[in-house]
Amino acid sequence: MSAYFRLAGPMRPARLVVTCLALSLAVPAMADEYRLGSQDKLNIRIAEWQTVEGTFRDWAAVNGEYSVGPAGNLSVPFVGELPAAGKTTSEIAAAISVALQRKLALSDKPEASVEMVQFRPFYISGEIQTPGQFPYVPELTVLKAVSIAGGIRRNADYGPQIGKDLVTAKGNFDIYDDQRVRLIVKRARIDADLAGKASFDVPKEVEGDPRLPAIVADEMQILTADQKALKLKLQALDELKGVLQAEIEALQKKIVNQQRQVDLAKQQLESISPLVQKGLVVNTRVLSSEQSVANLQGQILDYETAILTAKQSISKASQDAIDAQNTLNSNLASSRQQVEADLNEAALRVGMQKGLIAQASDPATTAAITSGEEPTLLYSLVRVADGKTSEIEAKEDTPVLPGDVIKVKLAPTASQ
C-alpha cells in the first residue's frame, strides 16, 4: 500500500456542464479511490444550466467548504444530511446533484464539483517527544510520523517527562472535555433554533455534568436573542405593510372623490356649451372648465401611481421577511456543520488525552525507564474501517492513512 488516491475519472465532454472532479492533492494513484471519513474537508461548488433562459446559475448559497461530521455525514443547504463516510468525492457530487433536482423540482439537474481541501489529521501517542494531532501528508509512514512528532523521547528525559506528560494530559483532557460538552449543548440549541422552538432539552450524553447549568444558560440567551431579533424584524416589516396598505386604501378613497369632482366638472361643462353657442357665455369660461377637468384627471393618475408604488413596497417587505428567515436558517445550518466538525475534533482530542494519561500512569513504562536500558519500541495503528475500529501491528515503513492513531510503546525489557 504505497499510494491512496486517484482522480474520480476522465473529464466528460463539456456541453455547458461542470465536471464532477475529485482532486487527489498531488497524491499518487492506487487501485481504489480515497474514501471519505469524519473531519475530511471538502470544497463544494454547484452550477445549474437553465435550458429555457440559456444561462448558468451559480448556487452561491450552497458553494463553500464543508467538513464530514462525526456521524460521517455532510450537512448541505437544501440537501440536508448526506451520508459521506466511505464514499468518494465523485459519489458525493452525484448524490448532491440528484438530491437538489429532486427536492427543488428542477427541470435541469445541477452539476456539483467536489474537491478535497484537507484530509483528516492523524494522531500519535506514546514514547515520542510531542504526542498529539498533526496534519496528514501524502505517503506518510510510521517513521515519518514519528519524525513529525519530534522523534523518540530521549532516555534521560523519560523520568521527569512522565510526570510532566501526566499533568499536561490531565489539563488538556479537562480543556477538551469542556469544549466537547459546550459543543454538544450548542448543537442542541442550533437544532432548536432551526425548528423554531423557544427552548431545548439537555442532550442525554452530557446529563448530570456539573458544568451544564452555566453552559445551558449561555446558549439559552443566544437562542432567545436570535428569535427575538427575527421576531422584531418580522414585526417591523408587518407594521410597514400595514402602513402601506392603509395608504393604499386612503388613495383609493381619494380617487373616488376625485372622480366625482371630474363628473361634476364635466356636467358643468356640458351645461354651458349651449350658452356659448348662443353667445350668452364667453369662451374663457369653457376653457377654464376644461382645464379643471384635465387637472382633476391628472390628480387621479398621480393617486394611481402612488398606489402602484405602495404595492411594490409591500411586495418588497414580504420578500425581506422571507429573506430574513432564510438568512437565519442558512447561518444556523452553516454553524451546525462547523459545530459537528469541532465536536468530532474535540472528541478525538479527549480520547487522545485519555490514552496519554493511561500511558503516563503505566507501571511497565516506569520500570523500563528506571532500568537504564535502551528501550525497544513497538508500533501499532488504531484504524477505523467500515465503522469498525481495529488495532494493527506496524513497523517503521508501514503506511499511515488519514485518521489513524499511531501508538508508540516501550517493549518489556529483559529484567521484567
Side-chain angles (χ1 to χ4, degrees), residues 74-338:
L74 276 175
S75 180
V76 181
F78 307 113
V79 175
E81 293 291 326
L82 186 69
K87 297 183 180 297
T88 65
T89 50
S90 56
E91 290 171 341
I92 293 297
I96 290 173
S97 296
V98 171
L100 286 174
Q101 184 182 31
R102 183 179 67 254
K103 290 193 175 184
L104 301 179
L106 302 174
S107 58
D108 298 296
K109 184 171 71 173
E111 295 291 336
S113 170
V114 180
E115 301 175 347
M116 287 296 306
V117 174
Q118 180 178 313
F119 296 104
R120 55 191 183 277
F122 73 93
Y123 304 83
I124 186 166
S125 66
E127 300 303 320
I128 52 175
Q129 291 288 358
T130 313
Q133 170 186 302
F134 297 91
Y136 179 81
V137 293
E139 299 184 355
L140 185 67
T141 63
V142 169
L143 182 59
K144 290 179 181 179
V146 170
S147 299
I148 291 172
I152 299 172
R153 188 181 301 166
R154 291 175 296 172
N155 205 29
D157 296 335
Y158 284 171
Q161 188 66 33
I162 281 186
K164 180 181 178 182
D165 284 352
L166 184 58
V167 173
T168 302
K170 287 181 176 179
N172 288 339
F173 173 82
D174 291 339
I175 293 172
Y176 297 139
D177 191 55
D178 182 75
Q179 290 178 356
R180 182 184 67 86
V181 173
R182 290 181 182 277
L183 288 168
I184 289 173
V185 177
K186 182 178 181 180
R187 182 178 61 186
R189 185 263 299 171
I190 291 175
D191 288 341
D193 212 348
L194 283 169
K197 297 180 180 178
S199 62
F200 60 91
D201 297 327
V202 174
K204 292 183 178 180
E205 58 260 51
V206 293
E207 281 183 348
D209 193 293
R211 297 165 290 189
L212 278 178
I215 297 174
V216 170
D218 290 342
E219 293 297 332
M220 275 300 301
Q221 287 183 352
I222 297 174
L223 176 63
T224 303
D226 281 351
Q227 295 185 346
K228 183 178 180 180
L230 179 63
K231 183 178 180 180
L232 289 174
K233 186 167 186 177
L234 295 179
Q235 284 179 346
L237 291 170
D238 284 340
E239 291 173 0
L240 174 60
K241 289 193 290 185
V243 170
L244 292 169
Q245 188 59 46
E247 181 180 345
I248 290 173
E249 293 173 358
L251 289 169
Q252 288 173 338
K253 290 179 181 179
K254 287 183 177 181
I255 289 175
V256 172
N257 293 331
Q258 201 77 357
Q259 187 60 51
R260 289 175 183 170
Q261 294 183 39
V262 169
D263 294 340
L264 291 174
K266 286 182 177 180
Q267 290 176 5
Q268 183 181 13
L269 181 60
E270 290 174 356
S271 66
I272 65 175
S273 294
L275 298 177
V276 173
Q277 294 175 358
K278 294 178 181 180
L280 300 176
V281 177
V282 295
N283 287 334
T284 56
R285 185 174 176 183
V286 174
L287 292 175
S288 177
S289 297
E290 290 177 345
Q291 186 176 5
S292 296
V293 171
N295 290 338
L296 291 171
Q297 290 176 333
Q299 290 177 2
I300 290 175
L301 290 175
D302 291 340
Y303 292 151
E304 290 175 344
T305 302
I307 288 175
L308 290 175
T309 302
K311 287 182 177 180
Q312 289 176 347
S313 298
I314 290 175
S315 297
K316 184 178 184 303
S318 299
Q319 185 60 48
D320 288 344
I322 296 172
D323 291 344
Q325 184 69 64
N326 289 341
T327 298
L328 176 60
N329 289 341
S330 178
N331 291 338
L332 288 172
S334 178
S335 296
R336 193 186 190 286
Q337 190 267 340
Q338 185 60 49

Side-chain angles (χ1 to χ4, degrees), residues 1-38:
M1 189 180 298
S2 61
Y4 313 101
F5 317 100
R6 66 180 175 82
L7 291 177
M11 294 185 68
R12 296 176 293 171
R15 191 182 70 85
L16 300 177
V17 173
V18 179
T19 304
C20 304
L21 184 62
L23 296 185
S24 64
L25 299 182
V27 182
M30 64 173 294
D32 297 324
E33 292 185 65
Y34 175 64
R35 300 287 170 174
L36 298 173
S38 178

Side-chain angles (χ1 to χ4, degrees), residues 33-52:
E33 292 185 65
Y34 175 64
R35 300 287 170 174
L36 298 173
S38 178
Q39 277 195 297
D40 279 336
K41 291 187 177 181
L42 307 173
N43 183 42
I44 298 176
R45 293 193 62 83
I46 310 295
E48 177 191 357
W49 171 248
Q50 296 179 310
T51 304
V52 177

